[in-house]
Amino acid sequence: MIEFDVLHVFCGPGGTGGNALGVVRDGSAVPDRAARAALAAELGFSETVFLDDAARGTVDIHTPSVRLSFAGHPLVGLAWLLRGLGRPPRTLRPPAGEVAVTFDEELTWVRGRAEWVPDRRTERYASVAEVDALPAPPPGEGWLYAWAWQDEAAGVVRARAFPRRGDGIVEDEATGAAALLLTHELGRALDVRQGAGSQILTRPYPDGTIDVGGRVRVDTP
């Protein structure tokens, strides 16, 4: 039997929302890529992350249908979990590259680059009401990140994410990579309110890297 933890990542201030994440702390328990893909599909979370080398922070990330080189919510969740186990990582290593990790009270941050984000499209809507009124999923093909300004002066964004991969994830509750991409496009720090109650925070740096951070809570499988 494969042991795994279930977390909710990018929770709102009161613990609302958060995107479910499966964490397999012992990646050697599922060494075969096909078996990992099958487990991720069986669990049905937006992503499942496998920790392959705890000392180096090497990780492998799967959705129910594809393997990802980078994703925000699995890395934030895993970093938070390891910190709670007394092993706070300074770096995680998904296939995309080295991801710096920092902690700020209740927030866990990971640092990435826009070019690491898998192919997806952001689309601005005129109002929060228009974003909220979208069906899940909207008509069309390909990954869509629908957003509108909730408070432009304060950098607050309302967003919803639709993978449209045909793998059972109709709407992604909280998506760190998409928030990172939007931050890159807008060139400013954001406070993203996504899904049913999630919050994603971002902060860009002059070298082109972008921090993505949020709160995490643990669940029971």
Side-chain angles (χ1 to χ4, degrees):
M1 184 174 180
I2 299 167
E3 295 185 356
F4 61 94
D5 301 276
V6 179
L7 310 177
H8 288 268
V9 184
F10 297 130
C11 299
T16 59
N19 199 1
L21 171 70
V23 180
V24 179
R25 283 188 255 166
D26 180 12
S28 65
V30 195
D32 180 73
R33 185 175 297 182
R36 292 183 176 191
L39 177 61
E42 179 184 349
L43 294 179
F45 302 131
S46 293
E47 279 111 17
T48 298
V49 60
F50 300 83
L51 180 59
D52 287 324
D53 187 328
R56 297 194 71 250
T58 306
V59 301
D60 189 27
I61 304 167
H62 289 257
T63 77
S65 60
V66 298
R67 183 174 182 254
L68 300 178
S69 62
F70 174 82
H73 112 272
L75 298 175
V76 168
L78 176 60
W80 178 89
L81 180 64
L82 293 175
R83 184 192 193 193
L85 295 171
R87 295 180 284 147
R90 297 180 62 182
T91 305
L92 291 175
R93 292 179 171 86
E98 291 192 359
V99 174
V101 178
T102 55
F103 302 95
D104 178 14
E105 296 182 353
E106 65 178 349
L107 300 176
T108 299
W109 299 87
V110 299
R111 188 170 301 182
R113 294 183 175 274
E115 56 264 33
W116 292 351
V117 177
D119 185 39
R120 58 194 59 183
R121 178 170 62 89
T122 65
E123 183 174 341
R124 180 179 176 179
Y125 286 75
S127 68
V128 169
E130 287 188 19
V131 174
D132 288 342
L134 290 171
E141 298 181 355
W143 227 106
L144 174 66
Y145 199 56
W147 70 278
W149 286 115
Q150 183 170 314
D151 184 341
E152 186 172 359
V156 181
V157 165
R158 170 64 176 144
R160 294 174 67 193
F162 306 101
R164 297 193 293 197
R165 291 185 299 249
D167 61 4
I169 306 299
V170 175
E171 181 170 353
D172 208 341
E173 171 62 27
T175 316
L180 186 154
L181 181 61
L182 185 61
T183 300
H184 172 74
E185 293 174 351
L186 298 177
R188 60 180 293 185
L190 298 177
D191 176 351
V192 180
R193 312 298 175 90
Q194 188 176 324
S198 301
Q199 183 181 30
I200 307 167
L201 302 172
T202 68
R203 51 192 187 195
Y205 292 91
D207 66 354
T209 60
I210 297 170
D211 272 354
V212 177
R215 303 172 189 85
V216 184
R217 61 181 170 86
V218 69
D219 204 344
T220 303

